[in-house]
Amino acid sequence: IRFRQYYILIFSLNNLNDNFNVSRLEYYVSKITIIHDGGMLTPATDVYALVDAGSTTNINLGSYNIVSVEGIKFSVGVDTPNNNGDPTLWPSSHPLAPKSPSMHWGWAAGYRFVAMEGKSGGSLNTVYEIHALGNQNYFEQTIMAIGISNGSQIEVNLEADYSDAINNISVASGIISHGDIN
């Protein structure tokens, strides 16, 4: 099973009519569960992905005896035990290993679940940074999507529209927020 995610935002207005663009948007996906064959749930064990919204992300979920995929459940962020663990213990190729630019804030706060950065304001000349972190921001999504058979594998393709990511957050004057975003 392969899970693919596509990016579809370059420049936008939020619901407060603030102009913004995105120069960096990365986030973690974890605790992936496949919904299949009439509502059965199969977890993809120990699968983590660091999604770069500027490119297509392919996540290999493993091999399963599945006929028809109906959807995907996944969490944005890193589960509590791993979020508060030591990132240097992971092999360098693993999504939870240290990265550049950094996605780890420190052992107490853990990983940046989402790092969104860009420019805002009328002339797009004001910097904004929103880094959501903290165990309280770990949340699950369920997206119903039909899997497409591609030879010996099934692909689940999702389009991620990030234009609502900063609804009700004023970025016109710039905002630097590294913490809990509610």
Side-chain angles (χ1 to χ4, degrees):
I1 305 274
R2 184 176 300 270
F3 171 44
R4 298 177 61 153
Q5 197 157 24
Y6 302 91
Y7 170 66
I8 60 173
L9 170 73
I10 296 171
F11 167 79
S12 194
L13 286 172
N14 70 2
N15 65 322
L16 302 175
N17 287 322
D18 294 344
N19 289 320
F20 71 97
N21 68 19
V22 178
S23 59
R24 176 186 183 202
L25 180 52
E26 294 179 287
Y27 58 94
Y28 281 101
V29 171
S30 64
K31 195 178 174 189
I32 301 170
T33 299
I34 306 160
I35 305 167
H36 63 94
D37 301 321
M40 294 178 64
L41 303 175
T42 299
T45 308
D46 295 325
V47 175
Y48 294 88
L50 177 55
V51 175
D52 178 347
S55 61
T56 299
T57 300
N58 292 303
I59 306 168
N60 187 345
L61 302 181
S63 296
Y64 305 94
N65 187 15
I66 292 175
V67 175
S68 174
V69 173
E70 299 147 3
I72 296 285
K73 285 185 177 189
F74 62 93
S75 294
V76 174
V78 178
D79 55 289
T80 299
N82 287 307
N83 185 43
N84 300 120
D86 182 352
T88 64
L89 298 178
W90 295 98
S92 62
S93 61
H94 194 278
L96 297 180
K99 301 294 174 211
S100 179
S102 178
M103 284 298 286
H104 197 269
W105 191 258
W107 289 1
Y111 292 87
R112 291 171 175 90
F113 290 0
V114 177
M116 184 173 183
E117 303 171 357
K119 300 271 179 105
S120 61
S123 300
L124 294 175
N125 59 0
T126 304
V127 172
Y128 76 88
E129 291 183 6
I130 299 172
H131 294 179
L133 53 136
N135 294 325
Q136 69 279 4
N137 284 315
Y138 188 67
F139 64 93
E140 185 177 78
Q141 302 269 333
T142 299
I143 300 177
M144 302 312 288
I146 302 299
I148 300 165
S149 181
N150 184 5
S152 63
Q153 60 184 344
I154 299 174
E155 292 185 357
V156 179
N157 298 314
L158 302 180
E159 286 186 359
D161 182 352
Y162 304 113
S163 61
D164 288 340
I166 57 174
N167 268 0
N168 298 319
I169 299 174
S170 179
V171 294
S173 301
I175 182 174
I176 306 293
S177 178
H178 298 165
D180 182 14
I181 301 291
N182 286 323

